[in-house]
Amino acid sequence: MSGQLVREGYSGTGPGAITPDGCAVELYRRLPVGDEPEVIAAAVPAGASILELGCGAGRVTRPLIERGFEVTAVDESAQMLEHIRGARTVQSPIESLDLGEERFDVVMLASFLVHASEDRVRDGLLRACRKHVKDGGVVLIQREGADYHTNLPQERSYPSGHTVRIVSAEPVGNGVDSVHVEYVFDDARWTQTFLSRELSKEQFEGHLEAAGLTVDRYLTDDGIWVRAVPEHPRNEAPSRAGGPC
């Protein structure tokens, strides 16, 4: 763990190193990429500069680089970043990321991170997105599906031979669930437990607005991938009703 403390409410089991949020490094090295690269590539300009927040072991990073994007990959886990190839890497918590005056065509917040259990964490994540995106750029966000906390357990098997089971989502108070997931391969098994807050479309868009972002469009029919844009240029403060003239 390199001295890092596991976050309260987060845990993981299985072979290899486990990060503070319960992610197993070896698991995330193995997980195959889905349709994320295609969704991203269709939503942004070719060759765009991309800031990937929470990149993990590079599951999505690699195919983006192969498609000609210039990727800066950010993760708080040095053990995850060791597996990134072909991209600039930055070790930092997302909420405290500070790349000075550097801005990007695209900022990505995938892996359902926007569903952080604490509002202050979510707001910090979204502020980091707004801080590092160009005024004419876009922010791509991955949300949970509508049934991620219901109709459980759910199980899905993949062509690569592994199975993912969302075993349970138990309420722990204040609208937050403790979600337990199993990942089963022929030769290994991992589990992850994490805290997640369901967000309605209205709640989600409200948090974006508070961070200075607004939904441009939902990129997938299930509403999981979203393209947002800055509401106001950095040199233009939002107007406030009732303020001084």
PDB file of all heavy atoms in Angstrom, residues 17-35:
ATOM      1  N   ALA A  17      -1.531  -5.824  -5.411  1.00  0.00           N
ATOM      2  CA  ALA A  17      -1.725  -4.589  -4.655  1.00  0.00           C
ATOM      3  C   ALA A  17      -3.160  -4.091  -4.772  1.00  0.00           C
ATOM      4  O   ALA A  17      -3.792  -4.206  -5.824  1.00  0.00           O
ATOM      5  CB  ALA A  17      -0.768  -3.516  -5.153  1.00  0.00           C
ATOM      6  N   ILE A  18      -3.672  -3.521  -3.673  1.00  0.00           N
ATOM      7  CA  ILE A  18      -5.012  -2.925  -3.625  1.00  0.00           C
ATOM      8  C   ILE A  18      -4.847  -1.442  -3.323  1.00  0.00           C
ATOM      9  O   ILE A  18      -4.164  -1.067  -2.368  1.00  0.00           O
ATOM     10  CB  ILE A  18      -5.883  -3.570  -2.531  1.00  0.00           C
ATOM     11  CG1 ILE A  18      -5.922  -5.096  -2.689  1.00  0.00           C
ATOM     12  CG2 ILE A  18      -7.291  -2.975  -2.549  1.00  0.00           C
ATOM     13  CD1 ILE A  18      -6.641  -5.598  -3.899  1.00  0.00           C
ATOM     14  N   THR A  19      -5.466  -0.573  -4.110  1.00  0.00           N
ATOM     15  CA  THR A  19      -5.344   0.873  -3.911  1.00  0.00           C
ATOM     16  C   THR A  19      -6.285   1.331  -2.785  1.00  0.00           C
ATOM     17  O   THR A  19      -7.155   0.579  -2.345  1.00  0.00           O
ATOM     18  CB  THR A  19      -5.675   1.630  -5.206  1.00  0.00           C
ATOM     19  OG1 THR A  19      -7.062   1.424  -5.534  1.00  0.00           O
ATOM     20  CG2 THR A  19      -4.816   1.146  -6.361  1.00  0.00           C
ATOM     21  N   PRO A  20      -6.135   2.575  -2.308  1.00  0.00           N
ATOM     22  CA  PRO A  20      -6.962   3.057  -1.191  1.00  0.00           C
ATOM     23  C   PRO A  20      -8.465   3.005  -1.438  1.00  0.00           C
ATOM     24  O   PRO A  20      -9.242   2.976  -0.486  1.00  0.00           O
ATOM     25  CB  PRO A  20      -6.480   4.491  -1.005  1.00  0.00           C
ATOM     26  CG  PRO A  20      -5.068   4.481  -1.459  1.00  0.00           C
ATOM     27  CD  PRO A  20      -5.054   3.542  -2.637  1.00  0.00           C
ATOM     28  N   ASP A  21      -8.894   3.009  -2.708  1.00  0.00           N
ATOM     29  CA  ASP A  21     -10.334   2.933  -2.976  1.00  0.00           C
ATOM     30  C   ASP A  21     -10.776   1.511  -3.310  1.00  0.00           C
ATOM     31  O   ASP A  21     -11.857   1.303  -3.862  1.00  0.00           O
ATOM     32  CB  ASP A  21     -10.739   3.903  -4.086  1.00  0.00           C
ATOM     33  CG  ASP A  21      -9.985   3.662  -5.380  1.00  0.00           C
ATOM     34  OD1 ASP A  21      -9.108   2.772  -5.409  1.00  0.00           O
ATOM     35  OD2 ASP A  21     -10.256   4.369  -6.361  1.00  0.00           O
ATOM     36  N   GLY A  22      -9.944   0.520  -2.970  1.00  0.00           N
ATOM     37  CA  GLY A  22     -10.337  -0.881  -3.124  1.00  0.00           C
ATOM     38  C   GLY A  22     -10.085  -1.491  -4.481  1.00  0.00           C
ATOM     39  O   GLY A  22     -10.482  -2.638  -4.720  1.00  0.00           O
ATOM     40  N   CYS A  23      -9.423  -0.762  -5.377  1.00  0.00           N
ATOM     41  CA  CYS A  23      -9.157  -1.276  -6.721  1.00  0.00           C
ATOM     42  C   CYS A  23      -7.913  -2.165  -6.703  1.00  0.00           C
ATOM     43  O   CYS A  23      -6.868  -1.775  -6.165  1.00  0.00           O
ATOM     44  CB  CYS A  23      -8.937  -0.138  -7.707  1.00  0.00           C
ATOM     45  SG  CYS A  23     -10.389   0.893  -7.996  1.00  0.00           S
ATOM     46  N   ALA A  24      -7.999  -3.323  -7.311  1.00  0.00           N
ATOM     47  CA  ALA A  24      -6.858  -4.222  -7.430  1.00  0.00           C
ATOM     48  C   ALA A  24      -6.094  -3.889  -8.715  1.00  0.00           C
ATOM     49  O   ALA A  24      -6.670  -3.896  -9.807  1.00  0.00           O
ATOM     50  CB  ALA A  24      -7.323  -5.665  -7.456  1.00  0.00           C
ATOM     51  N   VAL A  25      -4.808  -3.595  -8.574  1.00  0.00           N
ATOM     52  CA  VAL A  25      -4.013  -3.179  -9.727  1.00  0.00           C
ATOM     53  C   VAL A  25      -3.984  -4.273 -10.785  1.00  0.00           C
ATOM     54  O   VAL A  25      -4.185  -4.008 -11.982  1.00  0.00           O
ATOM     55  CB  VAL A  25      -2.584  -2.802  -9.280  1.00  0.00           C
ATOM     56  CG1 VAL A  25      -1.718  -2.464 -10.490  1.00  0.00           C
ATOM     57  CG2 VAL A  25      -2.620  -1.628  -8.304  1.00  0.00           C
ATOM     58  N   GLU A  26      -3.754  -5.508 -10.395  1.00  0.00           N
ATOM     59  CA  GLU A  26      -3.671  -6.607 -11.362  1.00  0.00           C
ATOM     60  C   GLU A  26      -5.011  -6.819 -12.069  1.00  0.00           C
ATOM     61  O   GLU A  26      -5.055  -7.109 -13.271  1.00  0.00           O
ATOM     62  CB  GLU A  26      -3.234  -7.889 -10.667  1.00  0.00           C
ATOM     63  CG  GLU A  26      -3.141  -9.103 -11.585  1.00  0.00           C
ATOM     64  CD  GLU A  26      -2.148  -8.916 -12.726  1.00  0.00           C
ATOM     65  OE1 GLU A  26      -1.168  -8.144 -12.568  1.00  0.00           O
ATOM     66  OE2 GLU A  26      -2.351  -9.540 -13.790  1.00  0.00           O
ATOM     67  N   LEU A  27      -6.109  -6.654 -11.340  1.00  0.00           N
ATOM     68  CA  LEU A  27      -7.421  -6.768 -11.975  1.00  0.00           C
ATOM     69  C   LEU A  27      -7.575  -5.727 -13.071  1.00  0.00           C
ATOM     70  O   LEU A  27      -8.000  -6.044 -14.195  1.00  0.00           O
ATOM     71  CB  LEU A  27      -8.533  -6.593 -10.936  1.00  0.00           C
ATOM     72  CG  LEU A  27      -9.941  -6.373 -11.492  1.00  0.00           C
ATOM     73  CD1 LEU A  27     -10.419  -7.587 -12.276  1.00  0.00           C
ATOM     74  CD2 LEU A  27     -10.911  -6.035 -10.367  1.00  0.00           C
ATOM     75  N   TYR A  28      -7.238  -4.487 -12.764  1.00  0.00           N
ATOM     76  CA  TYR A  28      -7.442  -3.423 -13.744  1.00  0.00           C
ATOM     77  C   TYR A  28      -6.461  -3.515 -14.904  1.00  0.00           C
ATOM     78  O   TYR A  28      -6.715  -2.970 -15.981  1.00  0.00           O
ATOM     79  CB  TYR A  28      -7.390  -2.053 -13.051  1.00  0.00           C
ATOM     80  CG  TYR A  28      -8.729  -1.752 -12.401  1.00  0.00           C
ATOM     81  CD1 TYR A  28      -9.044  -2.230 -11.135  1.00  0.00           C
ATOM     82  CD2 TYR A  28      -9.695  -1.043 -13.088  1.00  0.00           C
ATOM     83  CE1 TYR A  28     -10.286  -2.003 -10.562  1.00  0.00           C
ATOM     84  CE2 TYR A  28     -10.944  -0.803 -12.521  1.00  0.00           C
ATOM     85  CZ  TYR A  28     -11.227  -1.288 -11.255  1.00  0.00           C
ATOM     86  OH  TYR A  28     -12.465  -1.067 -10.706  1.00  0.00           O
ATOM     87  N   ARG A  29      -5.365  -4.235 -14.704  1.00  0.00           N
ATOM     88  CA  ARG A  29      -4.480  -4.542 -15.836  1.00  0.00           C
ATOM     89  C   ARG A  29      -5.149  -5.542 -16.773  1.00  0.00           C
ATOM     90  O   ARG A  29      -4.939  -5.507 -17.982  1.00  0.00           O
ATOM     91  CB  ARG A  29      -3.161  -5.129 -15.342  1.00  0.00           C
ATOM     92  CG  ARG A  29      -2.200  -4.143 -14.712  1.00  0.00           C
ATOM     93  CD  ARG A  29      -0.877  -4.827 -14.417  1.00  0.00           C
ATOM     94  NE  ARG A  29      -0.249  -5.265 -15.666  1.00  0.00           N
ATOM     95  CZ  ARG A  29       0.742  -6.162 -15.742  1.00  0.00           C
ATOM     96  NH1 ARG A  29       1.158  -6.773 -14.645  1.00  0.00           N
ATOM     97  NH2 ARG A  29       1.274  -6.476 -16.898  1.00  0.00           N
ATOM     98  N   ARG A  30      -5.948  -6.438 -16.214  1.00  0.00           N
ATOM     99  CA  ARG A  30      -6.557  -7.509 -17.008  1.00  0.00           C
ATOM    100  C   ARG A  30      -7.852  -7.097 -17.698  1.00  0.00           C
ATOM    101  O   ARG A  30      -8.192  -7.643 -18.753  1.00  0.00           O
ATOM    102  CB  ARG A  30      -6.877  -8.703 -16.115  1.00  0.00           C
ATOM    103  CG  ARG A  30      -5.691  -9.465 -15.596  1.00  0.00           C
ATOM    104  CD  ARG A  30      -6.195 -10.771 -14.997  1.00  0.00           C
ATOM    105  NE  ARG A  30      -5.167 -11.560 -14.374  1.00  0.00           N
ATOM    106  CZ  ARG A  30      -5.276 -12.855 -14.109  1.00  0.00           C
ATOM    107  NH1 ARG A  30      -6.395 -13.499 -14.418  1.00  0.00           N
ATOM    108  NH2 ARG A  30      -4.313 -13.521 -13.519  1.00  0.00           N
ATOM    109  N   LEU A  31      -8.608  -6.205 -17.086  1.00  0.00           N
ATOM    110  CA  LEU A  31      -9.932  -5.904 -17.625  1.00  0.00           C
ATOM    111  C   LEU A  31      -9.820  -5.379 -19.056  1.00  0.00           C
ATOM    112  O   LEU A  31      -9.068  -4.444 -19.321  1.00  0.00           O
ATOM    113  CB  LEU A  31     -10.639  -4.873 -16.748  1.00  0.00           C
ATOM    114  CG  LEU A  31     -11.154  -5.367 -15.393  1.00  0.00           C
ATOM    115  CD1 LEU A  31     -11.761  -4.206 -14.613  1.00  0.00           C
ATOM    116  CD2 LEU A  31     -12.193  -6.488 -15.574  1.00  0.00           C
ATOM    117  N   PRO A  32     -10.574  -5.936 -19.985  1.00  0.00           N
ATOM    118  CA  PRO A  32     -10.517  -5.469 -21.373  1.00  0.00           C
ATOM    119  C   PRO A  32     -11.290  -4.159 -21.532  1.00  0.00           C
ATOM    120  O   PRO A  32     -12.195  -3.853 -20.757  1.00  0.00           O
ATOM    121  CB  PRO A  32     -11.191  -6.597 -22.147  1.00  0.00           C
ATOM    122  CG  PRO A  32     -12.160  -7.192 -21.158  1.00  0.00           C
ATOM    123  CD  PRO A  32     -11.489  -7.084 -19.814  1.00  0.00           C
ATOM    124  N   VAL A  33     -10.913  -3.417 -22.529  1.00  0.00           N
ATOM    125  CA  VAL A  33     -11.637  -2.189 -22.821  1.00  0.00           C
ATOM    126  C   VAL A  33     -12.943  -2.529 -23.532  1.00  0.00           C
ATOM    127  O   VAL A  33     -13.030  -3.527 -24.257  1.00  0.00           O
ATOM    128  CB  VAL A  33     -10.771  -1.242 -23.675  1.00  0.00           C
ATOM    129  CG1 VAL A  33     -10.601  -1.774 -25.085  1.00  0.00           C
ATOM    130  CG2 VAL A  33     -11.359   0.166 -23.690  1.00  0.00           C
ATOM    131  N   GLY A  34     -13.964  -1.734 -23.296  1.00  0.00           N
ATOM    132  CA  GLY A  34     -15.240  -1.918 -23.972  1.00  0.00           C
ATOM    133  C   GLY A  34     -15.372  -0.950 -25.135  1.00  0.00           C
ATOM    134  O   GLY A  34     -14.438  -0.759 -25.921  1.00  0.00           O
ATOM    135  N   ASP A  35     -16.539  -0.296 -25.214  1.00  0.00           N
ATOM    136  CA  ASP A  35     -16.769   0.625 -26.325  1.00  0.00           C
ATOM    137  C   ASP A  35     -16.360   2.056 -25.981  1.00  0.00           C
ATOM    138  O   ASP A  35     -16.612   2.978 -26.760  1.00  0.00           O
ATOM    139  CB  ASP A  35     -18.238   0.592 -26.742  1.00  0.00           C
ATOM    140  CG  ASP A  35     -19.180   1.055 -25.635  1.00  0.00           C
ATOM    141  OD1 ASP A  35     -18.720   1.303 -24.502  1.00  0.00           O
ATOM    142  OD2 ASP A  35     -20.393   1.169 -25.907  1.00  0.00           O
TER     143      ASP A  35
END
